[in-house]
Amino acid sequence: MAVNDWKKRLNVVYSTNPQFKYETESADEQESLDPIKQDLRVMLDKKNRGGKAVTLVTGFRGKDADLKELGKILKTRCGVGGSVKVGEILVQGDFRDRILTILIDLGYKAKKSGG
């Protein structure tokens, strides 16, 4: 009996074409750039958050694991919670200046941006 791994088949429910091949996820994740080559933006965001402010870090290019590690460092050094979603780091509260300093100390090219 063949294993029906439906998670590997994307965007198709059924096909009558006998030569049809299912699309599979490609695990081609781009290499993380060196910190000095990253162009990170630090901004304050209050939209759709019930009036609460979060500091948002965007522009990271690289592996998700490296982004999560950077997010963990920022949240730990600020002493607050947050998350890493869709290529962005969210840190609870207004920590733009502190995060900017931390990123520059880590060797990243970062600057404040309007949000």
Side-chain angles (χ1 to χ4, degrees), residues 43-99:
M43 64 187 84
L44 185 68
D45 187 23
K46 293 183 182 180
K47 296 177 186 166
N48 298 327
R49 302 188 196 285
K52 296 184 179 182
V54 297
T55 304
L56 200 60
V57 180
T58 60
F60 185 87
R61 293 176 46 201
K63 295 182 179 180
D64 288 340
D66 295 336
L67 180 65
K68 288 180 182 180
E69 183 64 30
L70 180 60
K72 183 177 179 181
I73 291 169
L74 295 177
K75 291 183 295 182
T76 302
R77 291 202 185 167
C78 291
V80 294
S83 64
V84 178
K85 295 181 182 176
V86 194
E88 296 179 335
I89 300 171
L90 289 94
V91 178
Q92 295 173 349
D94 185 0
F95 290 98
R96 289 176 289 183
D97 295 329
R98 187 180 298 176
I99 287 177

Side-chain angles (χ1 to χ4, degrees), residues 21-50:
K21 301 266 187 199
Y22 288 106
E23 288 181 29
T24 56
E25 287 186 26
S26 61
D28 297 339
E29 213 175 354
Q30 69 180 14
E31 275 301 308
S32 295
L33 294 175
D34 291 333
I36 195 68
K37 294 180 182 176
Q38 297 278 2
D39 189 19
L40 302 179
R41 307 287 177 168
V42 180
M43 64 187 84
L44 185 68
D45 187 23
K46 293 183 182 180
K47 296 177 186 166
N48 298 327
R49 302 188 196 285

